[in-house]
Amino acid sequence: MKRRAPGAVYAVLAVSIALNLAAAGYFGVTRFHAKSPPRTVETTIGFISSRYPPSVGAVIREKLEARRDELAQALQEMKDARRATRDTMSRAPLDRAQVDAAFANARVKAANFQKVIHEAITEALPAVPEADRAKIDRGDPD
């Protein structure tokens, strides 16, 4: 005759397994999840050019590389403006007008950064054959 383990043992085993899985999931997400690299000129150029078909992306990369210094300056100005915004928000006492001005400046710097990118793309497109431009994805959700 076989003895059956009481139901309480099965319950404790189930809870133990559940806790172990939850812990493994937590550590898997927090410890081993790769953080995105900091934004640099190189990561920006790589990201922008990779969003297009290879033949289009190569020409865009070339134009962005030609504007590397301008892109680096715009990126640094945007980072500085964002840092200044955080500094302004953390000051005591809070000055709402200064925070608004800091956000306005950050928007201008972000727009300037995007402008450099957009101008490089616009400059690149005439060199791309029409058949290749037709391959640019129109279904991207952003």
Side-chain angles (χ1 to χ4, degrees), residues 23-113:
Y26 173 78
F27 285 116
V29 169
T30 59
R31 185 175 300 262
F32 301 110
H33 181 56
K35 292 182 179 180
S36 58
R39 184 180 292 187
T40 64
V41 172
E42 189 55 46
T43 60
T44 299
I45 291 172
F47 176 75
I48 298 299
S49 60
S50 71
R51 297 192 39 102
Y52 294 91
S55 59
V56 179
V59 179
I60 291 173
R61 175 179 276 282
E62 179 183 310
K63 297 301 180 182
L64 287 168
E65 289 287 355
R67 292 173 168 252
R68 181 178 275 277
D69 292 341
E70 186 181 0
L71 190 61
Q73 181 179 349
L75 175 61
Q76 189 58 52
E77 288 176 1
M78 182 178 70
K79 286 180 175 182
D80 291 345
R82 289 179 173 174
R83 192 171 301 111
T85 299
R86 290 190 302 274
D87 292 345
T88 303
M89 289 188 300
S90 63
R91 284 190 201 130
L94 179 68
D95 184 335
R96 186 173 176 160
Q98 286 183 350
V99 173
D100 286 340
F103 274 129
N105 185 50
R107 284 191 298 274
V108 167
K109 299 304 181 183
N112 289 344
F113 178 66

Side-chain angles (χ1 to χ4, degrees), residues 4-17:
R4 289 184 155 187
V9 172
Y10 288 126
V12 169
L13 182 60
V15 169
S16 174
I17 290 171

Side-chain angles (χ1 to χ4, degrees), residues 53-56 127-137:
S55 59
V56 179
V128 177
E130 187 175 330
D132 289 344
R133 282 189 294 110
K135 296 175 186 173
I136 295 173
D137 184 15

